[in-house]
Amino acid sequence: MNYLSELENKTIYIIREAYSRFRNISLLWSIGKDSTAMLWIARKAFFGKIPFPVTHIDTNYKFKEIYEFRDKYAKIWGLNLLISRNSTAIESGMGPKTNKFECCNALKTIALKDTIKQYNLKALLLAIRRDEHGIRAKERYFSPRDLNFKWDYQNQPAELWNLYKAGLNDEDHLRVHPMLHWREIDIWRYIEREKIPVTPLYFAKNNLRYRSIGCETCCMPVKSNANTIKKIVRELETTKTAERSGRAQDKEDTYTMQKLRSLGYM
Amino acid sequence: MDRETLSIVITGHVDHGKSTLIGRLLLETGSLPKEKLVEIKKISDKLGKETEIAYLIDQFKEERIKDMTIDTTQIFFKTRKRDYIIIDCPGHLELIKNMITGATLAETAILIIDCTEGIMEQTRRHAYIISMIGIRNVIVVINKMDLVNYNQKKFIEIETAINAFLKTLDMEPCFILPISAKDGVNITKKCSKLNWYNGPSFLKALDMLKPSREKANRSLRLPVQDVYDIEKKRVLVGKILSGSLVKGKEILVLPGFAKAKIADIKIFGKKPKKVSNRENIGVTLDRDIDVKRGFVIVDKESANRLEDRFQCNIFWMSKKPLEINKPFSIRCATQEVNCIAEKIERKINSSTLEIVYDNPDKVGLNESAKVSFKTERPIVIEEFSRLKELGRFVIEGDSTLLGAGIIT
């Protein structure tokens, strides 16, 4: 079995494991490359039809390309799409200009909290990867969150081999991370191999491309002339720039990511 | 273009330099984004410290303030030869569960020893855990050689002692080498300060390791992970642990001994004729039999693989001890079953490896023991050396992990 197939098989195993433990789960789809690759693999795990809802956290500040891509492929892939929005905060004018930390917390974390409660979700599949951020490298595949959504990162349960956590005790839900072992370059090689559609934002226009995509207001493109998947792979083989260098919420303070994540951010 | 990858766990006693070694490796192999270096310099300045390369790995605020690793983490780098996944682990005894979590993901282990302190409690315990979970490829690095002026005598003294200790675990390290992670000596290249040393640099030693691959086992083992209803058919899904499957093959489903034939093999987007170990697949059977998660599909020659009594080595990770005849549950692949310990044969201190004689009916936190287990119903198991995934298990109570076991 080659390397990409190994990664894919491990991801299928984890997705099926989460579903076998709790039928009531959802896959978080940001429409970015990682969660789109995860969605692709989830379709394989369930032979084409994902038997649970796919959630998009809509902050109202996403790129128009993201909304177009979402609506097009939700239809083609027959997804049961949930749109998670904190309308109260959006209407009261919450935005990145107020405060980036507050904005991420209100429009993403709190929106997600409400969705979990409303649909009584027991586990969420998230496409975070260990190589994107040092804090994410500390994650488990099955990571419990308590009722306040706290990630008790100083006291994480042990996780041995592929014998992932079986159930919930006092926890609210589990975060399951089926893509944790993938690197950025693996994702692009896999997208190339499988011909997975991705949003055009990743491809260079006027020597600029997005390497990591979130809200339009808080994402900066990086210098690049990679306008094909092949060129992106080649660029990643030699780059010295960090993947999330264009993401504002990582930068505000050294530990913003840790603080956001401990409160339940992705 | 398929490159080889190797996963390596870095183990050793508190403050012997695990995170610093990884930081140094990343620096010298040019694996770091520029802004990372600026960032750690800034943070080190803020905390009033010299630029601390361990902060590349220790990302939690608490880790940096206390200068200790709290949880296991992973870092990636590459050489011309292959891609590496480096797993860092905490060295404190209280954080042993995080160390084991990291170690179970690795194929190879590095044991780091501070030459001014020598072999310490967690050096021995980590070595024991590495050997117990079956990692055979081990490199010992003797660190902080700068603090003893790269003295060869000191190196030989520790080399002799660690060799003797590892021998009691039936382990033979692939390399034992002197380094200074802080000064970057003998990490990627040799240095005149170590002119008495003729072996490879640390990076060269890594590249010389041969990945240990499990021998392919021909008997079919397919633990059922779940059962889906798809287009009015019952599809059994799971990961093939050994052997292979073709359409029409006669199989047995254990523990019920039900016989059936494979009607169809399913992988989305493909029409596979044959599937083999490590593939995650679906199958349909030619008749309707009772199958659920935890049942195991085997070839018809393997009917005798069910056991309800077996011997194993366990490592206990809970404050609540294991007690004879008190029920708990174990999980082995997708099998989950209630279990008791009938007999504790021998209990050892996982650091000194001395036999522990007090409380012979209990196994306590961080103790290891050879025990006889009896399960409520028979399950399909194998010796760990024959088939890892059916030879290892976790021990649980109330959905909480209590310990880990290896079937001998």
Side-chain angles (χ1 to χ4, degrees):
Chain A
M1 195 183 285
N2 68 34
Y3 180 65
L4 287 178
S5 298
E6 295 256 8
L7 299 182
E8 179 197 62
N9 268 278
K10 186 165 184 174
T11 299
I12 290 177
Y13 188 83
I14 293 165
I15 292 173
R16 285 179 175 165
E17 202 60 13
Y19 181 63
S20 96
R21 293 289 169 186
F22 317 94
R23 289 307 200 220
N24 230 0
I25 68 176
S26 183
L27 182 151
L28 246 54
W29 187 30
S30 74
I31 334 293
K33 63 190 189 312
D34 305 306
S35 61
T36 303
M38 175 167 73
L39 184 64
W40 184 265
I41 298 172
R43 291 177 63 237
K44 290 193 177 196
F46 302 104
F47 307 100
K49 174 80 190 148
I50 299 175
F52 44 79
V54 168
T55 301
H56 178 230
I57 301 179
D58 180 9
T59 58
N60 215 32
Y61 289 102
K62 300 284 174 188
F63 294 88
K64 84 171 185 330
E65 288 87 342
I66 285 186
Y67 295 110
E68 286 166 8
F69 188 92
R70 178 189 77 187
D71 296 340
K72 179 177 170 190
Y73 285 97
K75 205 177 270 173
I76 293 176
W77 291 334
L79 306 177
N80 170 8
L81 186 70
L82 297 181
I83 293 174
S84 168
R85 277 168 74 96
N86 183 349
S87 308
T88 326
I90 293 172
E91 275 153 31
S92 71
M94 175 56 84
K97 281 187 191 130
T98 325
N99 174 312
K100 285 193 176 65
F101 176 84
E102 293 293 325
C103 182
C104 267
N105 196 45
L107 299 190
K108 294 183 179 177
T109 312
I110 294 178
L112 179 63
K113 251 184 203 176
D114 292 345
T115 303
I116 290 178
K117 202 179 238 168
Q118 191 182 343
Y119 294 93
N120 190 27
L121 298 172
K122 292 296 168 211
L124 296 175
L125 306 178
L126 277 84
I128 64 165
R129 306 188 332 267
R130 288 197 184 104
D131 77 330
E132 23 168 4
H133 196 285
I135 296 296
R136 289 179 171 175
K138 302 254 178 196
E139 268 285 6
R140 303 283 192 259
Y141 283 103
F142 280 51
S143 177
R145 293 293 186 280
D146 73 7
L147 294 170
N148 299 317
F149 256 45
K150 280 258 163 70
W151 176 36
D152 188 3
Y153 57 84
Q154 296 212 58
N155 186 28
Q156 299 197 68
E159 182 170 80
L160 306 189
W161 301 294
N162 56 357
L163 296 164
Y164 307 113
K165 195 168 165 44
L168 290 167
N169 298 338
D170 306 329
E171 300 95 353
D172 181 70
H173 69 279
L174 278 181
R175 296 282 174 93
V176 178
H177 304 128
M179 308 299 282
L180 206 53
H181 52 291
W182 293 67
R183 294 167 302 177
E184 185 184 13
I185 196 164
D186 302 326
I187 295 278
W188 281 109
R189 285 178 178 148
Y190 186 71
I191 287 171
E192 185 183 21
R193 183 182 95 172
E194 301 278 315
K195 304 189 175 64
I196 304 172
V198 288
T199 102
L201 295 165
Y202 287 113
F203 302 106
K205 248 192 258 162
N206 307 323
N207 290 323
L208 288 173
R209 77 173 192 95
Y210 289 94
R211 219 173 127 188
S212 174
I213 296 175
C215 295
E216 187 163 11
T217 41
C218 292
C219 273
M220 292 293 286
V222 293
K223 267 193 191 145
S224 166
N225 48 23
N227 54 4
T228 63
I229 296 175
K230 266 208 165 57
K231 285 184 188 165
I232 290 177
V233 170
R234 211 171 313 141
E235 176 186 286
L236 294 178
E237 279 166 352
T238 52
T239 184
K240 292 253 162 164
T241 312
E243 179 179 1
R244 293 177 66 91
S245 62
R247 297 295 287 270
Q249 69 267 45
D250 296 24
K251 299 265 149 47
E252 226 172 17
D253 169 282
T254 310
Y255 303 106
T256 301
M257 191 66 165
Q258 176 175 348
K259 221 157 82 187
L260 274 168
R261 296 213 78 226
S262 78
L263 293 173
Y265 182 77
M266 288 62 74
Chain B
M1 99 100 261
D2 208 36
R3 278 169 63 86
E4 189 178 79
T5 53
L6 189 70
S7 54
I8 301 171
V9 61
I10 316 275
T11 65
H13 195 73
V14 184
D15 285 339
H16 282 200
K18 294 178 287 296
S19 301
T20 311
L21 171 62
I22 301 173
R24 176 58 65 185
L25 208 55
L26 295 179
L27 268 181
E28 295 204 4
T29 53
S31 314
L32 289 170
K34 279 173 282 181
E35 57 198 74
K36 273 273 165 223
L37 292 172
V38 178
E39 183 193 319
I40 60 156
K41 173 143 199 329
K42 207 172 82 190
I43 296 160
S44 304
D45 288 350
K46 223 187 211 171
L47 292 171
K49 294 173 181 174
E50 257 181 81
T51 299
E52 178 53 86
I53 51 180
Y55 292 168
L56 292 165
I57 323 298
D58 293 336
Q59 285 275 339
F60 289 144
K61 195 173 191 175
E62 293 80 359
E63 294 183 311
R64 289 170 177 174
I65 290 168
K66 295 182 202 160
D67 274 324
M68 65 181 269
T69 304
I70 292 174
D71 212 328
T72 181
T73 193
Q74 294 193 15
I75 297 287
F76 305 81
F77 82 98
K78 57 189 175 195
T79 63
R80 221 170 288 162
K81 166 124 177 144
R82 56 165 87 100
D83 291 355
Y84 288 96
I85 302 165
I86 302 277
I87 303 165
D88 187 28
C89 285
H92 291 71
L93 176 62
E94 303 72 40
L95 300 167
I96 203 86
K97 66 182 170 68
N98 296 343
M99 180 269 166
I100 299 181
T101 295
T104 63
L105 295 171
E107 300 159 78
T108 297
I110 310 299
L111 187 62
I112 189 166
I113 304 172
D114 173 346
C115 69
T116 63
E117 285 200 334
I119 300 172
M120 300 290 283
E121 187 186 346
Q122 297 330 313
T123 318
R124 289 188 295 257
R125 183 169 281 114
H126 286 189
Y128 174 77
I129 288 167
I130 291 163
S131 87
M132 179 181 155
I133 64 176
I135 298 177
R136 306 318 298 177
N137 262 339
V138 179
I139 297 179
V140 176
V141 292
I142 298 180
N143 189 24
K144 306 195 188 178
M145 289 299 293
D146 52 304
L147 297 181
V148 296
N149 267 325
Y150 299 92
N151 181 313
Q152 185 181 11
K153 260 196 202 143
K154 191 79 205 166
F155 174 76
I156 294 174
E157 184 189 308
I158 295 171
E159 183 187 34
T160 312
I162 191 69
N163 258 326
F165 178 75
L166 293 178
K167 213 167 172 187
T168 62
L169 292 169
D170 207 17
M171 280 166 90
E172 200 185 321
C174 308
F175 300 96
I176 301 185
L177 42 100
I179 61 160
S180 164
K182 187 167 152 276
D183 291 353
V185 169
N186 206 26
I187 303 295
T188 51
K189 49 193 179 299
K190 289 192 195 164
C191 172
S192 57
K193 290 167 180 164
L194 279 173
N195 53 14
W196 48 266
Y197 172 73
N198 296 317
S201 69
F202 179 59
L203 198 66
K204 186 106 184 272
L206 285 182
D207 273 349
M208 286 163 78
L209 288 176
K210 291 194 181 70
S212 56
R213 294 273 177 258
E214 204 171 14
K215 269 190 221 135
N217 196 322
R218 267 180 301 178
S219 322
L220 173 67
R221 298 288 182 272
L222 170 58
V224 175
Q225 189 178 11
D226 209 338
V227 181
Y228 303 153
D229 286 312
I230 297 171
E231 290 156 7
K232 292 183 186 151
K233 284 203 178 113
R234 282 169 71 71
V235 179
L236 318 178
V237 299
K239 175 184 173 192
I240 302 179
L241 301 184
S242 71
S244 60
L245 265 184
V246 288
K247 229 165 130 167
K249 185 182 170 89
E250 286 183 54
I251 52 103
L252 269 181
V253 183
L254 298 177
F257 294 102
K259 277 185 199 158
K261 275 186 191 167
I262 301 291
D264 199 12
I265 302 172
K266 289 174 76 81
I267 294 180
F268 183 63
K270 287 185 189 167
K271 289 207 181 314
K273 286 213 170 64
K274 184 183 175 184
V275 285
S276 53
N277 65 328
R278 294 183 294 157
E279 288 190 86
N280 286 270
I281 52 136
V283 293
T284 55
L285 303 179
D286 67 339
R287 67 202 79 172
D288 199 18
I289 54 176
D290 175 37
V291 186
K292 55 185 181 208
R293 179 181 164 93
F295 284 24
V296 183
I297 297 173
V298 301
D299 39 6
K300 59 185 197 315
E301 292 80 22
S302 299
N304 60 352
R305 302 313 301 179
L306 277 173
E307 310 271 358
D308 65 357
R309 281 197 159 86
F310 56 89
Q311 279 207 332
C312 52
N313 286 319
I314 61 163
F315 185 86
W316 200 254
M317 294 157 71
S318 165
K319 281 184 187 137
K320 216 172 96 187
L322 170 95
E323 293 177 63
I324 278 191
N325 293 327
K326 284 259 176 75
F328 49 84
S329 66
I330 64 167
R331 276 198 293 140
C332 173
T334 63
Q335 306 173 97
E336 197 166 347
V337 63
N338 290 331
C339 186
I340 52 162
E342 288 188 310
K343 198 169 169 212
I344 297 169
E345 318 267 352
R346 186 164 42 93
K347 196 163 75 160
I348 62 165
N349 175 312
S350 62
S351 174
T352 61
L353 304 189
E354 282 162 355
I355 297 180
V356 179
Y357 293 100
D358 35 319
N359 294 319
D361 291 347
K362 285 181 186 170
V363 182
L365 181 67
N366 296 326
E367 283 181 335
S368 187
K370 188 171 188 170
V371 291
S372 299
F373 274 6
K374 162 95 175 68
T375 54
E376 198 174 59
R377 55 178 177 77
I379 55 170
V380 180
I381 53 168
E382 298 281 350
E383 275 175 30
F384 182 75
S385 56
R386 278 178 54 92
L387 184 55
K388 283 182 186 166
E389 288 195 51
L390 286 175
R392 65 194 186 197
F393 57 88
V394 289
I395 305 166
E396 292 173 327
D398 301 324
S399 291
T400 303
L401 189 91
L402 305 173
I406 297 288
I407 297 164
T408 51

